């Protein structure tokens, strides 16, 4: 045996390893010496195996859609097909750069252009921007557009109307854009109260922000009447599209009279989300608002896709480059693969699953707005509270059974609220199991309430002081538990 194979080689510079192309490269020689360490890094001495075990065990503590049922209302924690991740990761998309010349990235620009068109078709709007990075960013973009529009007409507008059941980002976005926020009441049926709206609609109102179905999971049946009144008062109608997975393929906000729409690609279409992103919040507008859209938009001239060169009335750029491409390409592929029929099936199954669960859970919980719901519904743990157990305790106990808690204490108009959104991707077996879990928690509330009050019992961390945890997070991992 030759002496050579016993020579010691280092992985730090693997130039001794033949490269597939033949010639081996000395990578370190290509880095200017001023960037190289003079001294070895002071890294902890741990074996590779110990490190692998540490991170693998940490990763197993993740709670996610891929491991557990996740009925978090409003957030639409549906399953996203893995094939979309492969598409987004393919080198033809992942290796391009936004500084590349238009001519080199015609395929990527085509994705943007066609996506603007698909989203316009799906929502009934005339044009879309793909720039905003999430729903809340879309709201901010939409209100800047509303504000630019009113300024261009010399309208003096100071208020934005928002239903009291709305998501917290709505008033926050309005306030960020300098508007006074005025709340509109919800009536006994869980809809926008028309009489209250009428009293608050005046010439100072720039815009009414709504989501339909609303956060109680109910379709706003008076939407055409509301749109007429808002327009008569000289205001615009903004659609928070976070609940669009209940309508996609069935009906369109553009046809209901909405002027500005945001979509959450990560909720309605297919982008894995949670833990803060990445998301995408495209904004669509009716014709008269197109000049104010963020620039640049992607246009098509002849057979070429190009960035719009001039947009004198645009509100400007909202983020670096043109949008979250990884989220857009996944949703583009999802829309193309599902087609018109598939998208409609998304909404129909989301509505079917929610109504199935709602009927089953009406036996256990108080239901403030009974009857047919859309893709989600809100329960109240009022009855359980009388026995000393609150929604928070039930949410914590669910974790012991491997179920993510529903959204709790939102919307604010429901006492001890529990907002359940099963999404369209869950099976009947999973929904039935969720009902069985809540039934056994209900039995505990009646016989051994302490078990619920002290939950969770089986998670890596037990009941925490939520205020202190937020202000003073302790993120150390303690393998002992
Ligand atoms: C999720 C949500 C938003 C905010 O969207 P993000 O993408 O999380 O910024 C706004 N409104 C409603 C009703 C939502 O559910």
């Amino acid at each position: 045996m030759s002496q050579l194979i016993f020579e010691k080689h280092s992985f730090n510079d693997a130039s001794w390893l033949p490269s597939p192309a033949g010639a081996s490269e000395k990578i370190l020689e290509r880095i200017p010496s001023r960037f190289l360490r003079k001294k070895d890094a002071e890294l902890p001495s741990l074996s590779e195996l110990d490190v692998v075990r540490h991170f693998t065990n940490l990763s197993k503590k993740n709670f996610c859609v891929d491991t557990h049922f996740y009925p978090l209302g409003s957030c639409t924690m549906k399953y996203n097909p893995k094939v979309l991740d492969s598409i987004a990761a393919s080198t033809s998309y992942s290796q391009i750069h936004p500084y590349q010349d238009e001519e080199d990235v015609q395929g990527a620009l085509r994705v943007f252009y066609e996506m603007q068109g698909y989203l316009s078709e799906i929502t009934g709007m005339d044009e879309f921007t793909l720039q905003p990075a999430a729903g809340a960013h879309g709201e901010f973009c939409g209100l800047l557009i509303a504000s630019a529009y009113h300024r261009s007409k010399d309208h003096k507008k100071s208020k934005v109307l928002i239903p009291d059941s709305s998501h917290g980002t709505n008033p926050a976005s309005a306030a960020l854009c300098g508007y006074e926020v005025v709340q509109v009441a919800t009536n006994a049926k869980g809809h926008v109260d028309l009489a209250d709206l009428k009293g608050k609609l005046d010439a100072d109102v720039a815009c009414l922000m709504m989501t339909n179905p609303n956060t109680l999971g109910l379709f706003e049946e008076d939407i055409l009447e509301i749109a007429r009144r808002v327009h008569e008062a000289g205001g615009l109608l903004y659609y928070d599209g976070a609940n669009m997975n209940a309508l996609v393929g069935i009906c369109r906000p553009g046809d209901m009279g909405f002027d500005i729409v945001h979509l959450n690609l990560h909720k309605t279409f297919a982008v894995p989300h949670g833990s803060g992103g990445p998301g995408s919040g495209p904004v669509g507008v009716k014709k008269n608002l197109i000049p104010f859209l963020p620039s640049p938009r992607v246009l098509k001239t002849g057979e070429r896709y190009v960035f719009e060169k001039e947009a004198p009335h645009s509100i400007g750029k909202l983020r670096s480059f043109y949008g979250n491409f990884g989220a857009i390409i996944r949703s583009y592929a999802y829309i193309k693969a599902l087609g018109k029929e598939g998208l409609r099936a998304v909404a129909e199954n989301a509505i079917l699953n929610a109504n199935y669960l709602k009927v089953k859970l009406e036996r256990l919980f108080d239901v403030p707005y009974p009857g047919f719901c859309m893709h989600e519904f809100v329960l109240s743990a009022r009855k359980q509270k009388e026995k000393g157990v609150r929604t928070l305790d039930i949410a914590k106990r669910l974790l012991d059974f491997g179920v993510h808690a529903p959204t709790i204490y939102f919307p604010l108009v429901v006492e001890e609220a529990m907002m359940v959104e099963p999404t369209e991707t869950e099976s009947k077996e999973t929904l039935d199991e969720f009902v069985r879990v809540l039934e056994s928690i209900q039995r505990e509330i009646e016989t051994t309430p302490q078990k619920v009050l002290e939950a969770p019992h089986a998670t890596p961390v037990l009941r925490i002081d939520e205020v202190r945890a937020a202000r003073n997070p302790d993120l150390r991992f303690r393998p002992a538990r």
Side-chain angles (χ1 to χ4, degrees):
M1 202 175 273
S2 129
Q3 210 36 41
L4 200 60
I5 66 164
F6 295 114
E7 216 174 273
K8 190 167 151 39
H9 292 86
S10 161
F11 282 124
N12 289 336
D13 178 7
S15 53
W16 45 270
L17 195 67
S19 88
S24 74
E25 257 196 299
K26 288 201 181 290
I27 292 166
L28 285 185
E29 282 177 9
R30 294 203 303 178
I31 301 173
S33 66
R34 68 179 192 281
F35 294 127
L36 295 176
R37 290 183 186 286
K38 305 287 175 290
K39 232 171 57 181
D40 282 348
E42 286 176 30
L43 299 174
S45 290
L46 288 168
S47 74
E48 181 169 320
L49 176 58
D50 286 337
V51 173
V52 165
R53 280 190 185 146
H54 173 77
F55 285 107
T56 305
N57 285 322
L58 264 189
S59 77
K60 286 190 190 162
K61 294 191 191 301
N62 272 349
F63 194 108
C64 55
V65 178
D66 287 359
T67 58
H68 296 88
F69 182 43
Y70 209 134
L72 191 67
S74 214
C75 298
T76 314
M77 304 306 288
K78 64 163 83 168
Y79 174 75
N80 303 123
K82 296 288 173 249
V83 64
L84 300 171
D85 296 338
S86 323
I87 291 170
S90 93
T91 48
S92 41
Y93 289 120
S94 64
Q95 300 286 308
I96 54 176
H97 194 280
Y99 281 139
Q100 263 173 275
D101 196 82
E102 271 170 24
E103 287 306 307
D104 296 343
V105 288
Q106 282 293 301
L109 295 192
R110 181 176 152 200
V111 168
F112 280 121
Y113 180 80
E114 291 186 355
M115 190 65 166
Q116 290 167 188
Y118 294 156
L119 298 181
S120 299
E121 177 64 33
I122 287 168
T123 55
M125 305 307 283
D126 293 313
E127 187 57 286
F128 256 86
T129 171
L130 306 176
Q131 272 190 38
H137 201 204
E139 293 168 26
F140 181 63
C141 169
L143 288 171
L144 288 179
I145 291 172
S147 166
Y149 163 81
H150 286 306
R151 247 181 293 123
S152 78
K153 300 260 177 213
D154 256 344
H155 296 160
K156 302 269 177 290
K157 304 277 187 184
S158 57
K159 297 185 216 163
V160 168
L161 300 188
I162 300 177
D164 57 5
S165 64
S166 81
H167 194 264
T169 51
N170 292 184
S173 301
L176 265 178
C177 291
Y179 287 108
E180 180 195 339
V181 174
V182 179
Q183 270 198 5
V184 182
T186 297
N187 66 20
K189 284 171 71 187
H191 299 149
V192 166
D193 187 321
L194 277 181
D196 192 54
L197 175 67
K198 203 169 153 203
K200 289 168 179 167
L201 254 183
D202 58 28
D204 293 337
V205 172
C207 170
L208 166 64
M209 296 180 85
M210 280 178 71
T211 177
N212 196 15
N214 63 26
T215 60
L216 295 162
L218 305 173
F219 190 87
E220 295 280 3
E221 289 156 5
D222 294 323
I223 188 59
L224 296 177
E225 169 76 5
I226 292 172
R228 192 180 56 77
R229 290 193 188 180
V230 170
H231 291 147
E232 269 174 19
L236 294 171
L237 196 57
Y238 182 92
Y239 183 77
D240 174 338
N243 294 335
M244 187 69 196
N245 61 320
L247 303 190
V248 64
I250 297 178
C251 60
R252 314 190 303 172
D255 300 334
M256 298 173 203
F258 285 95
D259 303 288
I260 309 171
V261 163
H262 88 247
L263 292 174
N264 306 58
L265 297 189
H266 45 292
K267 293 181 180 175
T268 300
F269 301 99
V271 187
H273 62 291
S275 307
S280 176
V283 168
V285 294
K286 287 280 174 64
K287 240 187 204 77
N288 56 336
L289 300 174
I290 293 176
F292 307 107
L293 280 172
S295 64
R297 289 185 296 130
V298 177
L299 308 174
K300 191 177 181 187
T301 56
E303 286 309 301
R304 309 309 291 167
Y305 300 95
V306 294
F307 286 114
E308 156 192 66
K309 298 287 176 297
E310 277 184 46
H313 302 287
S314 163
I315 58 166
K317 215 158 167 40
L318 272 190
R319 79 189 291 283
S320 55
F321 307 116
Y322 320 110
N324 191 346
F325 191 74
I328 293 163
I329 183 69
R330 281 175 172 88
S331 296
Y332 170 89
Y334 180 80
I335 289 170
K336 288 205 87 127
L338 262 63
K340 202 169 141 189
E341 302 302 317
L343 287 177
R344 188 183 170 97
V346 164
E348 288 174 346
N349 288 314
I351 294 170
L352 180 64
N353 275 358
N355 279 282
Y356 179 77
L357 265 190
K358 186 178 186 188
V359 168
K360 296 249 164 185
L361 295 176
E362 268 168 355
R363 296 175 208 148
L364 296 176
F365 292 92
D366 212 50
V367 179
Y369 303 101
F372 185 76
C373 67
M374 297 297 284
H375 64 306
E376 63 192 355
F377 57 93
V378 182
L379 303 169
S380 165
R382 270 192 289 242
K383 282 188 296 193
Q384 287 78 359
K385 190 180 172 191
E386 283 166 18
K387 296 198 162 28
V389 173
R390 302 191 56 201
T391 294
L392 177 71
D393 307 313
I394 298 169
K396 295 289 183 193
R397 186 64 178 135
L398 276 171
L399 303 177
D400 288 330
F401 290 93
V403 175
H404 194 282
T407 294
I408 59 173
Y409 300 105
F410 175 76
L412 306 177
V413 292
V414 173
E415 182 192 356
E416 295 298 317
M418 228 163 98
M419 184 190 206
V420 180
E421 178 177 14
T423 82
E424 74 278 7
T425 53
E426 297 298 336
S427 66
K428 178 172 175 295
E429 287 70 22
T430 302
L431 304 184
D432 287 338
E433 179 57 24
F434 179 54
V435 174
R436 274 194 292 277
V437 166
L438 282 170
E439 282 167 351
S440 56
I441 294 176
Q442 182 62 31
R443 277 193 296 277
E444 287 177 348
I445 293 172
E446 280 153 22
T447 55
T448 51
Q450 214 54 27
K451 192 127 202 199
V452 184
L453 291 171
E454 288 169 8
H457 304 278
T459 48
V461 285
L462 304 181
R463 187 75 70 109
I464 50 174
D465 175 337
E466 308 221 331
V467 175
R468 218 180 60 182
R471 299 211 171 142
N472 216 350
D474 175 0
L475 304 175
R476 266 169 305 171
F477 172 55
R478 293 185 184 76
R481 271 206 51 83

